[in-house]
Amino acid sequence: MYFFVGKVLPYITVAILLGGITWRVWRWTIGRIKFNITIPPFPSSWPAAVLWIVWQIVSFWNVFKFDRPLWFGAWPMHVALAAIGGGHVLGVYTLGMQFHLLLPWLVTEHQSEAASNFLGTVFGIIFFVALLYLLYRRLAIEKVRVISATSDYLHLLLLLAIVGIGDYMRLVKTASLHYDEARHFMAGLFTFNPHPLPDNFFFFLHFLFVQIMLLIFPFSKLMHPFGILWNRWIINRPYQQPPMGMPGTKITL
Amino acid sequence: MPKKVLSDGTEISQPNRAVDRLMKRLHVREVPDEEKPAMAVRWLDYYRKDRRSLTLAMEGCVKCGVCAEQCHAYLGTKDPNNIPAARADLMRRVYKRYFTVQGRLFGKLVGAVEMTMDVLEKWYSYYYQCSECRRCGHVCPFGIDTCEVTMAGREILWALGFVPELQGAASAMVFERGNQGGMTQAAIVDTHEFLTDEMEEERGFRIEFPVDKPNSDILYVPSSADYLLNAETLKGAAQFFEYVGANWTISSYMLEAGNFGLLTDQRSVQRELVRRLWWSVADLGIKKVVFGECGHGWRAWKMYTETLTDYAVAGPGYTYTKVPLVNIHQEVVALLKAGKLKLDPKNNRLAPVGTYVTLHDPCNYVRADQLGDVFRYVLYNSVPAVREMYPIKEKNFCCGGGSAILYDDPEMYNLRIKFFQKKADQVRASGANHICTPCSICKAQFYPMVKEHNLTTEDGKTIMPVNGLIDFLGAALVFKGHRQI
């Protein structure tokens, strides 16, 4: 089992993830954008339209405007996800030295590792609490419960499991895994010379669940970061009004 | 129509179905019941490959629920199937079952269901309860336009033989006479004469309506409902064109700003109107087309004309004169801002002093083209006082009649009353005593609904009057020493 999850499954996961995303996006491009069915605001140029799309993505503006309680769950959850995603890559690759490497005259190596640990813990907890709130919301609010399928709950539970284990490893010293062990293992995977999984059951579970998530990613609603781009590409487009002024009238503009 | 009972015992309301003769005139074949589900899946496959907007609506939703509280249909009926996400889910579940990996592998777990007659009957009920106002599309964080789902659902139903009597009859009239009201040229001319007489009494001089006049510069395309319900709007437009001294005309061959094809059958009915438009433009030597008051109509002309002007008009070997399409409000505002129109809001026949007008923004005007400010510019200059309802502009709620779900049978009529609930609350809170809405369908919904919801003026007895925007403009225009032409 350790052999399969640690040395074989990661390659299958990445292949299916990338292949699946490509396939899904290819499906989206079969149909044409037949009509210019835009929705306000009507920007006058492409840069303005793109700016609006980016603003919607970074701020969750529509959620903020039309469903404030959801925004307080969803936005911190996604920010924490982005921070943790970035933290995993940078923290593991630089062994927690990312802030020192970025601002060497300001942050010492020791401070950088402490900051990395601190931010990881804080965002991990925000992530977990926000997910719990989203799960509660899906169960407790009638209008959201009636539109939910079983898979909607399972997605949340899977994420909760991943984050829960991650937080446990952060908070409980005996369960934790040091950066260099993780880096050693990941380096093996990236160089196609896989090393055995670190001897840590929690890491094994964490790693397994993440792979399950990545496996179902292209075949579920988790594809929504791509969906928002393709959707808004249809409805946020520039529009130029035809010139005003009627021909042949006595009173003209 | 009595309520339809599904196989699990639930009852749903549906609009009346078109009779056989009507369907034949529309060239719609009623598919036998046992073949309908399989045929529907084939049509769904066709539309998902045809329209990216539909595929993305099917695959992009995360069920966050933001849209629920934003839909007047759900707020009015509290029917969970009227939550935009759930309404789209009626189609999405079938889509998942047949066209996605997860739906084929896991079925119920991801909410996928087989296509059955029950599903189609539900579609016929709920896709004709959606008014295609696109408020859900406007609020959706992902920008999913649920209207596209309703449209595709209705088109699939149309192809299977689920044709509502109202839309079917209106569409048949489009093929026969070029307008949904069934107006003949004689009826049009007669109405014009009557209105000309009326304006003579009011103004003291005659304003003629030119019909089918060759070598005209401007083609005014009113909504045919103006002839049946909103005569003041026609008068308003005529006074405006007279004031600016336009060389204008109305075509009896193409007398429909509204466009039921957009709402039910884009492939044939909507295309017919586009063809008729370019026919009239070529025939009468038109240089600019000005559309009258019709919300979804303006969306259809603004967004769909280019694509639907296809093989028979602009295909290889064919040519047509492309002229600008605008709507009357934009032209009015351009002239107003240039200071070329003299208005007297204090001396408005339709809105005497003491009238507080509230403006209902038609969904398609504000969410397909941001005309909220344009309307307000005209209104504030034409009437003595305005009291806004909230929310307004592109955040406005639909009146509940959008996409012509103006059914008269008791079941659907009851639903219409519920759909209007949110609007009635808004109007009441505004403290106005006169309603302005520049859209034929909104007017057709408002006329009976102000009575059903007992929206009265201050005295508590008089039912609030409803008018279009151009009505007020026409009545407020100050003519000096006319006639001009």
Side-chain angles (χ1 to χ4, degrees):
Chain A
M1 193 66 185
Y2 270 61
F3 174 80
F4 180 72
V5 171
K7 295 190 175 180
V8 183
L9 190 60
Y11 296 108
I12 299 174
T13 305
V14 171
I16 289 182
L17 177 71
L18 296 181
I21 291 174
T22 315
W23 174 73
R24 194 76 185 269
V25 166
W26 170 76
R27 272 162 58 100
W28 293 347
T29 56
I30 295 176
R32 283 187 301 148
I33 303 176
K34 284 183 85 171
F35 310 109
N36 193 14
I37 46 165
T38 47
I39 272 179
F42 297 98
S44 50
S45 65
W46 270 113
V50 170
L51 200 67
W52 174 250
I53 297 176
V54 171
W55 169 244
Q56 280 280 357
I57 292 173
V58 288
S59 72
F60 290 25
W61 186 241
N62 271 4
V63 186
F64 184 75
K65 257 197 316 190
F66 295 106
D67 195 340
R68 203 61 58 85
L70 171 61
W71 188 86
F72 281 110
W75 191 77
M77 184 276 231
H78 284 83
V79 169
L81 173 63
I84 287 172
H88 270 67
V89 175
L90 287 178
V92 172
Y93 182 67
T94 64
L95 300 177
M97 297 300 125
Q98 65 265 42
F99 303 108
H100 173 66
L101 294 172
L102 206 63
L103 305 163
W105 62 91
L106 197 69
V107 186
T108 63
E109 290 186 5
H110 185 70
Q111 283 170 334
S112 174
E113 191 169 349
S116 176
N117 284 334
F118 174 74
L119 288 175
T121 314
V122 168
F123 279 120
I125 290 167
I126 292 175
F127 199 176
F128 191 78
V129 172
L131 279 170
L132 272 183
Y133 168 70
L134 291 180
L135 183 63
Y136 160 79
R137 181 178 171 277
R138 213 170 260 292
L139 286 164
I141 298 179
E142 173 75 13
K143 62 177 189 192
V144 193
R145 188 159 50 79
V146 294
I147 56 172
S148 301
T150 317
S151 54
D152 296 325
Y153 299 104
L154 293 180
H155 290 142
L156 280 174
L157 289 173
L158 179 61
L159 280 173
L160 273 170
I162 295 170
V163 184
I165 296 167
D167 284 354
Y168 185 79
M169 287 161 71
R170 272 265 172 230
L171 295 170
V172 179
K173 280 282 174 285
T174 51
S176 66
L177 184 78
H178 204 260
Y179 286 137
D180 49 9
E181 284 178 89
R183 182 163 99 155
H184 179 68
F185 172 68
M186 291 308 290
L189 282 178
F190 274 103
T191 53
F192 295 100
N193 181 24
H195 303 297
L197 268 169
D199 185 22
N200 182 325
F201 180 66
F202 296 103
F203 181 77
F204 165 77
L205 275 184
H206 188 69
F207 193 63
L208 176 63
F209 284 148
V210 167
Q211 293 196 66
I212 291 173
M213 185 193 73
L214 294 180
L215 277 171
I216 62 170
F217 183 91
F219 310 103
S220 65
K221 68 171 191 178
L222 297 177
M223 269 293 277
H224 66 271
F226 293 87
I228 190 170
L229 291 172
W230 262 257
N231 254 314
R232 290 204 167 270
W233 187 250
I234 299 174
I235 65 153
N236 292 132
R237 294 180 158 248
Y239 170 67
Q240 237 92 32
Q241 217 184 19
M244 289 297 117
M246 293 183 290
T249 50
K250 297 231 171 84
I251 295 179
T252 50
L253 276 180
Chain B
M1 189 165 166
K3 286 198 169 182
K4 182 88 192 173
V5 183
L6 300 180
S7 60
D8 62 356
T10 47
E11 289 185 339
I12 49 173
S13 310
Q14 289 182 335
N16 276 342
R17 299 269 292 271
V19 292
D20 193 43
R21 176 157 173 262
L22 184 54
M23 302 242 287
K24 279 186 181 141
R25 282 159 72 199
L26 292 165
H27 308 291
V28 176
R29 183 177 73 101
E30 166 102 49
V31 177
D33 274 3
E34 59 275 13
E35 292 172 27
K36 270 182 182 143
M39 201 64 160
V41 173
R42 278 172 62 187
W43 274 114
L44 189 55
D45 193 29
Y46 169 80
Y47 279 115
R48 89 180 166 98
K49 287 175 184 159
D50 189 47
R51 292 184 196 160
R52 190 180 298 179
S53 50
L54 179 68
T55 315
L56 265 298
M58 290 291 105
E59 304 200 1
C61 181
V62 300
K63 314 277 179 63
C64 64
V66 172
C67 49
E69 294 290 328
Q70 311 297 336
C71 176
H72 66 283
Y74 174 64
L75 291 174
T77 59
K78 292 290 169 197
D79 184 337
N81 280 324
N82 270 332
I83 298 173
R87 193 189 293 120
D89 237 29
L90 293 174
M91 184 183 284
R92 198 177 283 123
R93 285 184 184 156
V94 181
Y95 179 94
K96 270 188 185 160
R97 163 67 186 78
Y98 293 96
F99 307 117
T100 66
V101 174
Q102 68 270 33
R104 285 192 188 156
L105 291 181
F106 300 109
K108 272 240 169 66
L109 185 76
V110 296
V113 299
E114 295 275 337
M115 178 66 102
T116 58
M117 269 311 279
D118 275 2
V119 172
L120 285 172
E121 296 286 359
K122 269 195 195 165
W123 284 19
Y124 188 57
S125 173
Y126 289 105
Y127 290 148
Y128 281 98
Q129 291 184 41
C130 167
S131 62
E132 303 189 347
C133 71
R134 295 169 95 215
R135 198 167 194 272
C136 47
H138 177 61
V139 305
C140 177
F142 297 94
I144 296 170
D145 194 349
T146 307
C147 174
E148 291 295 305
V149 182
T150 299
M151 280 178 173
R154 287 183 181 190
E155 282 179 84
I156 293 171
L157 290 170
W158 185 278
L160 298 176
F162 284 94
V163 176
E165 197 179 12
L166 179 93
Q167 272 86 352
S171 300
M173 276 303 156
V174 165
F175 285 110
E176 196 181 326
R177 295 188 187 151
N179 64 75
Q180 285 143 200
M183 312 285 297
T184 58
Q185 195 193 29
I188 295 163
V189 172
D190 195 48
T191 312
H192 288 162
E193 277 171 12
F194 180 77
L195 294 178
T196 303
D197 291 346
E198 215 172 85
M199 280 190 283
E200 191 179 9
E201 279 171 31
E202 290 159 13
R203 291 260 181 208
F205 53 88
R206 291 183 77 75
I207 297 174
E208 305 285 348
F209 291 79
V211 177
D212 297 333
K213 185 162 75 73
N215 300 320
S216 300
D217 293 325
I218 295 161
L219 176 67
Y220 177 61
V221 185
S223 158
S224 65
D226 288 358
Y227 286 82
L228 309 167
L229 292 167
N230 325 310
E232 287 293 342
T233 308
L234 273 179
K235 282 160 67 181
Q239 290 174 77
F240 168 66
F241 285 122
E242 174 77 12
Y243 190 97
V244 298
N247 176 22
W248 67 296
T249 192
I250 287 176
S251 164
S252 64
Y253 186 73
M254 168 62 202
L255 190 81
E256 190 55 78
N259 201 326
F260 279 21
L262 170 77
L263 314 168
T264 46
D265 182 27
Q266 296 173 1
R267 287 179 307 135
S268 149
V269 181
Q270 192 175 5
R271 199 168 253 131
E272 166 69 8
L273 275 169
V274 172
R275 187 190 65 74
R276 275 178 182 261
L277 178 78
W278 296 126
W279 171 294
S280 302
V281 166
D283 190 31
L284 303 173
I286 302 299
K287 299 197 182 70
K288 192 166 200 176
V289 181
V290 178
F291 287 98
E293 293 190 349
C294 185
H296 82 267
W298 176 238
R299 164 154 138 84
W301 295 112
K302 180 195 158 190
M303 294 178 169
Y304 289 74
T305 310
E306 192 149 332
T307 313
L308 287 178
T309 306
D310 49 13
Y311 40 84
V313 178
Y318 295 95
T319 184
Y320 74 111
T321 317
K322 192 176 179 184
V323 299
L325 313 178
V326 295
N327 75 58
I328 191 164
H329 308 105
Q330 289 170 313
E331 290 293 352
V332 167
V333 163
L335 285 165
L336 263 181
K337 285 194 171 159
K340 299 294 175 76
L341 298 182
K342 190 159 187 291
L343 299 175
D344 184 2
K346 295 280 184 286
N347 188 19
N348 191 319
R349 179 174 53 80
L350 292 170
V353 175
T355 307
Y356 299 100
V357 185
T358 188
L359 177 69
H360 161 68
D361 296 87
C363 308
N364 282 294
Y365 271 134
V366 288
R367 277 190 283 276
D369 198 352
Q370 265 176 327
L371 294 183
D373 295 321
V374 168
F375 293 148
R376 278 169 184 76
Y377 199 88
V378 181
L379 190 68
Y380 279 79
N381 282 298
S382 312
V383 298
V386 180
R387 284 185 179 171
E388 295 283 9
M389 60 170 92
Y390 291 97
I392 53 168
K393 298 184 188 171
E394 67 269 15
K395 294 198 200 73
N396 192 27
F397 278 98
C398 175
C399 62
S403 80
I405 46 174
L406 302 162
Y407 304 108
D408 284 340
D409 53 289
E411 285 297 332
M412 294 304 278
Y413 190 76
N414 276 335
L415 283 174
R416 264 172 80 185
I417 297 175
K418 288 180 185 164
F419 296 158
F420 193 77
Q421 186 62 52
K422 184 74 194 174
K423 187 51 59 187
D425 297 343
Q426 274 182 286
V427 172
R428 263 203 200 95
S430 74
N433 55 17
H434 200 131
I435 298 164
C436 168
T437 175
C439 165
S440 285
I441 286 179
C442 297
K443 287 174 204 162
Q445 167 80 343
F446 268 87
Y447 291 145
M449 288 306 141
V450 285
K451 295 191 194 92
E452 298 292 348
H453 282 268
N454 200 27
L455 292 174
T456 56
T457 54
E458 292 86 347
D459 65 9
K461 280 182 228 134
T462 323
I463 298 294
M464 274 193 213
V466 181
N467 274 105
L469 185 59
I470 296 302
D471 312 19
F472 289 120
L473 174 92
L477 277 171
V478 182
F479 285 81
K480 297 180 273 195
H482 273 65
R483 31 185 308 118
Q484 283 204 347
I485 295 174

